[in-house]
Amino acid sequence: MNWSITPAQASTQAVAFDQLFWTMVGFSLCVVTLVGLLIFVFSLRFRARTGVPRKTVATLESRRVEIFWTAATAFFAIFFFWYTSTVSLDAVEAPPDAMEYHVEAKQWMWKTRHPSGVREINAMHVPTGRPVTVFLNSQDVIHSFYVPAFRIKKDVVPGRTSTVWFEATEPGTYPLFCTEYCGTNHAVMTGEVTVMEPAAYARWLETRAEGETLAAEGARLFTSAGCSGCHAEASDVHAPPLTGLFGRDIPLEDGRTVTADAAYIRDAILLPERDVAAGYAPIMPNFTGILEDGEVEALVAYIRTLALEGEGR
Amino acid sequence: MSSTDAEGYIAQEPDYLGAGHTVRSWLLTTDHKRIGILYLVTLLFFFLIGGAAATFIRLELATPPGDLVTADTYNRLFTLHGVIMVWFFLVPAVPSTLGNFLLPLAIGARDMAFPKLNLLSWYINLVGGLLALAALLLGGVDTGWTFYTPYSSLYSNSYVTLAALGVFIAGFSTIATGLNFIVTVHTQRCEGLTWMRLPLFVWALYATSMVIVLATPALAVALAMVVMERVFALGLFDPAQGGDPILFQHIFWFYSHPAVYIMILPGFGVVTEVLTCFSRRKVFGYEAMVFAILGIALFGFFVWGHHMFVSGQSAYASLIFSLLSFLIAIPSAIKVFNWSATLYGGHITFEASMLYALGFIGLFTLGGLTGLFLASVPIDVHMHDTYFVTAHFHYIMVGGMVSAFFAGLHFWWPKITGRMYSELWARLAALLMFLGFNFTFFPQFILGYMGMPRRYHSYPDEFEMWNVLSSAGAVILAVAYLMPFVYLGLSVYRGRRAGDNPWQARGLEWQTASPPPRENFGPLPVVTREPYDYHRSDEEPSAREGDLDFPNRSDTETR
Ligand SMILES: [Cu+2]
Ligand SMILES: [Cu+2]
């Protein structure tokens, strides 16, 4: 049996979180003590059998008392909102130099792919000191990617690519949990995140067979699934060029404008008739049932890299 | 007409219990008091079923491996526990039982505005409950009480459709009850009972009814969509067909967050009645209490997104929901401080219902404070869907609401049955419930901070200690919950006569006989003073005269 109550603190977010958490615990203890004392002292002093004078009652019943504790509560509510939201705003965007991991969730396992293409199941090795962005996709129901030691969590929702990022600080092995109920074996949809010093991580990578990165798989699919027939630069079919497309605002045929994010590109492959780009005929074939699970994500990853190349990265 | 029994107690007309003894006279009654009793019976039945499921859950979690039941059975157990407890116990708990029984009495009316609709809503509730129960007996539901899509719509092989239909139908019962309460409060108040003279219990029921009527249709929509998706494969939540699984969460929580207030607001009302009576004090800040209730009911509609901070909703949307969730703490805090201040300068006695009410304040405070943790985005990212959340809402729902329900049940039991229960056993049960509750649920806060996810059938060894403690506490809690069944049950046959007003309380319901006659009052009361007039505003409170069970009819002057 283990009496320790603090989870390991292994990421930059964990430090910020714990500071916030214990501040709020301290505040709560003060409030609980205050309310507890009020009730206890009043109950004791004004129990029926004591003879203390009750004359002062009328003077207490004043607006001032109420205004005081309404204002005090409002102050603390706004203060804690400000305090916590600054912390959360700091963590919204991953740093631009983050390593990109792709994680695919399905009932009931986690499949991870390193930036180098190395693949793992229910495991993930990361180096310390480098921000890591995890791209999350689900093949079936909603799962949730949770590493308590990093204090991060993100739902993995089918049909969209979610991202979460962290920067590990302490080498060690930490549990990974699924925290969105996903059926029979939800409780054993767990894994391990191993944090290593950068040198050890590099050595570990070398022992692994080099895999294909997700974007490389996408590049291969781009030809083999026939996308390049229309979308390649040299094609004479009038189809939108994909270089530099990702992240741009796209005007649509019906006058709306959408951002070409992962969800849009995914929909463009699986539901092409829905959001047709302005100036193009709706001739894109529907790939639902033709592409397998994971292949769409590979294509999206490839199209993302096309945009990054456009920026010269 | 009047007769005197062995204790010299003068009985009025046959009371509502004596107005007929056949099963038919109960099942076809339109008397709000009898309907309240019918609800009480079905409610306690569902409470026992939901409690039994909880017992199995805690037994399974007493050891790390999943060794007592299979994973599928476990998933069905927590779903059953959630569905039954939320929709067939907590939501109707106070409004349908105590509310039904007391609302007309508390406003000096002879019945509800729509007595037949009132009976109908009990039958609708029963049909919904039986459907949900059938789903359970046929093999259960494994989606959790939240029915998240696409698991519930595309993947679950359990009786989701049947259970969802059960909850859907039961929703109409609560809507009917809510509507009935609103109209009753508007049209049936006796002479002189202005809005600002309403007891806070009535205000709380009124606000609850508003929330019920406005929010429950959203639940009906969400569940109907899941059922249609399962039956007709509409694709509303199926990304492969262009649907959005998150849409369900928005509709569901648009109901389910206000539902938290449907469950807790009536408790606020009960606790106010009990606290003022046993401290012989006017409630501190009546108007602030009214506006706090209405404010909570209104703000409750705009915070649903705090359940979705990690779902992928925009970070800025999350911040708005976070701010609104922090702001709703203000009226809640006003209530807690005003209750504490009500004790000041009183003549306090500690009957069982007072103990429950004081326990309520403590547990609600803790539940509310941990709500602030979950309202802040970065903390919720870590705590979401862990045992911290489980502990938080059990502090509000079980620690708060169930305590309030028992406070009210003990407070009005003499009015309902005309009999006194054993005060000693009742106080013992109240203390045991408070201890057992904290013993069970406080360790779950720690488990959540350590990172244990909820709805886990098995768990890693490092969580064992706190789970063992929690399961041990659950044993105490189970005993504490069973005790009232015994001593309250016995009191019906062996309890002393209560008299009309054993607590010498000031509500209108105490100005009639216990149990009340079929028509509630002889001549209807005429109200000339503000509520909680335990003392005049310019007078000091005075101790209660006489013994607790002093059956003194002349004490209740007709106003
Ligand atoms: Cu899961
Ligand atoms: Cu909520």
Side-chain angles (χ1 to χ4, degrees):
Chain A
M1 300 242 180
N2 181 356
W3 281 93
S4 158
I5 65 159
T6 40
Q9 201 189 48
S11 75
T12 50
Q13 280 106 322
V15 179
F17 171 91
D18 280 347
Q19 206 177 29
L20 201 60
F21 177 78
W22 289 108
T23 310
M24 286 193 84
V25 169
F27 170 75
S28 304
L29 278 178
C30 293
V31 176
V32 169
T33 315
L34 176 70
V35 173
L37 269 180
L38 282 180
I39 293 180
F40 188 73
V41 170
F42 289 170
S43 298
L44 206 67
R45 188 170 160 79
F46 298 109
R47 65 188 195 278
R49 287 195 189 88
T50 56
V52 295
R54 266 98 172 167
K55 285 262 192 234
T56 48
V57 168
T59 55
L60 178 78
E61 182 140 4
S62 71
R63 276 288 134 89
R64 244 181 289 157
V65 181
E66 284 181 320
I67 290 172
F68 164 71
W69 59 52
T70 307
T73 324
F75 168 76
F76 281 111
I78 305 271
F79 169 76
F80 277 107
F81 169 70
W82 165 79
Y83 181 33
T84 58
S85 53
T86 36
V87 171
S88 67
L89 278 180
D90 289 346
V92 170
E93 293 289 335
D97 60 333
M99 297 168 75
E100 291 184 3
Y101 280 65
H102 288 266
V103 169
E104 195 142 321
K106 62 177 228 172
Q107 286 178 326
W108 291 280
M109 72 165 51
W110 300 99
K111 300 196 279 188
T112 49
R113 190 170 343 207
H114 288 240
S116 61
V118 167
R119 295 180 191 223
E120 298 180 79
I121 289 195
N122 292 339
M124 188 167 162
H125 286 70
V126 294
T128 54
R130 281 203 61 186
V132 169
T133 302
V134 187
F135 290 79
L136 298 158
N137 286 102
S138 167
Q139 291 182 9
D140 38 49
V141 299
I142 303 179
H143 304 274
S144 194
F145 181 87
Y146 177 38
V147 185
F150 296 164
R151 315 285 191 276
I152 55 151
K153 181 181 293 132
K154 193 69 160 199
D155 283 2
V156 189
V157 183
R160 63 166 80 174
T161 304
S162 329
T163 58
V164 65
W165 78 275
F166 60 86
E167 184 180 325
T169 51
E170 283 296 313
T173 302
Y174 308 105
L176 156 70
F177 294 125
C178 173
T179 38
E180 185 57 70
Y181 173 69
C182 57
T184 309
N185 289 326
H186 168 57
V188 289
M189 185 168 163
T190 57
E192 276 178 351
V193 178
T194 308
V195 177
M196 304 168 114
E197 300 286 357
Y201 176 70
R203 254 178 279 123
W204 177 85
L205 266 190
E206 273 165 28
T207 65
R208 308 283 298 200
E210 187 73 11
E212 194 181 24
T213 67
L214 197 62
E217 186 189 328
R220 192 166 44 71
L221 275 168
F222 192 72
T223 316
S224 64
C227 316
S228 58
C230 303
H231 288 283
E233 310 269 318
S235 164
D236 11 289
V237 181
H238 182 55
L242 301 181
T243 311
L245 169 84
F246 197 92
R248 277 217 326 257
D249 285 341
I250 310 290
L252 298 184
E253 198 58 52
D254 58 12
R256 286 176 300 133
T257 305
V258 296
T259 305
D261 55 6
Y264 170 74
I265 299 200
R266 189 189 162 89
D267 285 353
I269 298 170
L270 297 177
L271 300 159
E273 57 282 352
R274 199 170 70 176
D275 294 330
V276 179
Y280 295 95
I283 49 172
M284 164 103 177
N286 188 319
F287 281 84
T288 308
I290 297 169
L291 292 171
E292 280 177 25
D293 282 329
E295 292 185 334
V296 181
E297 273 67 50
L299 281 168
V300 174
Y302 171 63
I303 293 168
R304 269 185 73 244
T305 59
L306 288 180
L308 298 179
E309 276 163 22
E311 290 166 15
R313 284 181 45 204
Chain B
M1 291 251 300
S2 338
S3 60
T4 311
D5 78 357
E7 295 172 46
Y9 177 80
I10 305 166
Q12 226 185 6
E13 279 303 285
D15 58 51
Y16 78 99
L17 290 170
H21 295 281
T22 57
V23 174
R24 191 189 146 86
S25 74
W26 279 92
L27 293 182
L28 293 180
T29 183
T30 53
D31 181 352
H32 67 99
K33 299 181 288 300
R34 286 195 165 205
I35 296 169
I37 302 285
L38 290 177
Y39 264 115
L40 189 64
V41 171
T42 44
L43 194 85
L44 292 178
F45 170 70
F46 285 119
F47 182 67
L48 286 178
I49 293 183
T55 310
F56 280 107
I57 293 172
R58 281 319 321 168
L59 278 176
E60 171 63 75
L61 293 177
T63 56
D67 43 13
L68 181 70
V69 295
T70 65
D72 277 325
T73 308
Y74 181 81
N75 296 342
R76 281 161 170 75
L77 279 173
F78 72 67
T79 306
L80 164 74
H81 171 69
V83 169
I84 295 287
M85 284 303 206
V86 169
W87 284 299
F88 299 99
F89 177 71
L90 287 167
V91 165
V94 169
S96 298
T97 57
L98 298 174
N100 239 324
F101 195 99
L102 290 156
L103 180 70
L105 286 164
I107 61 173
R110 300 210 183 274
D111 207 321
M112 289 287 189
F114 308 118
K116 286 178 188 155
L117 181 67
N118 201 13
L119 179 65
L120 181 67
S121 55
W122 181 72
Y123 278 103
I124 299 174
N125 183 275
L126 195 64
V127 170
L130 291 180
L131 273 184
L133 216 54
L136 141 81
L137 293 177
L138 287 170
V141 187
D142 70 343
T143 60
W145 76 277
T146 47
F147 292 107
Y148 266 23
T149 55
Y151 185 74
S152 65
S153 53
L154 294 172
Y155 289 85
S156 174
N157 292 318
S158 57
Y159 290 83
V160 180
T161 308
L162 205 55
L165 276 179
V167 175
F168 179 84
I169 290 172
F172 288 96
S173 152
T174 33
I175 293 175
T177 302
L179 206 65
N180 216 338
F181 280 15
I182 293 172
V183 177
T184 304
V185 174
H186 273 275
T187 62
Q188 307 289 319
R189 283 170 291 138
C190 67
E191 205 184 321
L193 189 60
T194 57
W195 285 93
M196 281 300 163
R197 281 179 180 170
L198 287 179
L200 286 166
F201 180 54
V202 174
W203 267 115
L205 287 175
Y206 180 76
T208 306
S209 306
M210 285 291 188
V211 180
I212 285 175
V213 169
L214 293 173
T216 313
L219 172 72
V221 167
L223 293 176
M225 284 164 96
V226 168
V227 170
M228 304 235 273
E229 182 105 345
R230 284 182 75 88
V231 178
F232 304 115
L234 289 188
L236 297 165
F237 307 122
D238 179 6
Q241 295 184 61
D244 183 0
I246 302 290
L247 173 65
F248 175 84
Q249 297 180 21
H250 280 288
I251 308 175
F252 181 81
W253 288 115
F254 185 79
Y255 161 79
S256 285
H257 189 83
V260 172
Y261 297 110
I262 295 176
M263 298 181 230
I264 194 73
L265 281 175
F268 290 172
V270 170
V271 165
T272 312
E273 303 303 305
V274 173
L275 278 179
T276 48
C277 175
F278 294 108
S279 49
R280 316 308 298 165
R281 275 280 276 131
K282 207 179 269 303
V283 67
F284 186 91
Y286 173 84
E287 281 169 36
M289 294 295 252
V290 171
F291 289 117
I293 288 177
L294 297 177
I296 290 172
L298 179 71
F299 270 92
F301 279 100
F302 304 106
V303 297
W304 79 90
H306 66 207
H307 297 266
M308 298 167 62
F309 288 163
V310 300
S311 70
Q313 91 184 350
S314 138
Y316 301 98
S318 291
L319 285 184
I320 304 274
F321 284 119
S322 167
L323 175 64
L324 290 167
S325 308
F326 271 109
L327 291 182
I328 211 167
I330 300 170
S332 314
I334 291 177
K335 298 208 71 84
V336 169
F337 286 124
N338 280 14
W339 283 321
S340 313
T342 300
L343 298 174
Y344 183 85
H347 284 263
I348 305 168
T349 51
F350 300 93
E351 282 74 19
S353 38
M354 183 65 165
L355 294 181
Y356 280 114
L358 292 174
F360 169 95
I361 302 179
L363 299 177
F364 175 74
T365 303
L366 216 64
L369 283 166
T370 49
L372 291 184
F373 286 67
L374 298 172
S376 65
V377 178
I379 295 188
D380 183 68
V381 167
H382 178 60
M383 300 303 196
H384 182 80
D385 268 340
T386 66
Y387 264 86
F388 193 91
V389 173
T390 314
H392 157 70
F393 69 73
H394 279 85
Y395 263 79
I396 300 281
M397 304 284 76
V398 186
M401 187 55 203
V402 178
S403 295
F405 175 69
F406 276 106
L409 197 61
H410 285 79
F411 184 57
W412 283 298
W413 189 259
K415 180 53 63 184
I416 296 172
T417 63
R419 304 282 184 161
M420 297 303 290
Y421 46 83
S422 157
E423 190 59 44
L424 179 72
W425 281 101
R427 289 184 196 189
L428 210 65
L431 290 176
L432 210 57
M433 222 175 272
F434 184 80
L435 287 178
F437 176 82
N438 282 300
F439 203 163
T440 309
F441 290 101
F442 198 84
Q444 298 187 4
F445 282 125
I446 296 168
L447 282 172
Y449 174 56
M450 292 170 73
M452 177 167 166
R454 65 195 275 213
R455 296 172 171 176
Y456 263 30
H457 168 231
S458 56
Y459 54 86
D461 290 340
E462 68 249 38
F463 301 132
E464 182 175 6
M465 180 46 107
W466 302 100
N467 271 300
V468 170
L469 281 180
S470 180
S471 292
V475 176
I476 302 177
L477 197 55
V479 172
Y481 281 144
L482 290 176
M483 281 167 65
F485 281 85
V486 178
Y487 65 76
L488 288 181
L490 280 178
S491 79
V492 174
Y493 302 102
R494 302 222 303 236
R496 280 166 315 161
R497 293 276 183 198
D500 294 351
N501 192 358
W503 317 123
Q504 297 174 16
R506 305 300 297 172
L508 292 182
E509 72 270 26
W510 299 103
Q511 295 191 11
T512 185
S514 306
R518 170 66 182 87
E519 300 294 320
N520 288 353
F521 298 94
L524 285 179
V526 176
V527 179
T528 53
R529 297 170 71 176
E530 70 273 45
Y532 312 113
D533 55 337
Y534 290 99
H535 55 100
R536 291 182 189 280
S537 330
D538 50 351
E539 264 174 19
E540 61 181 287
S542 55
R544 185 169 53 200
E545 301 146 35
D547 293 330
L548 296 185
D549 54 342
F550 192 47
N552 189 353
R553 285 180 61 86
S554 61
D555 201 76
T556 54
E557 80 270 28
T558 321
R559 294 194 255 190

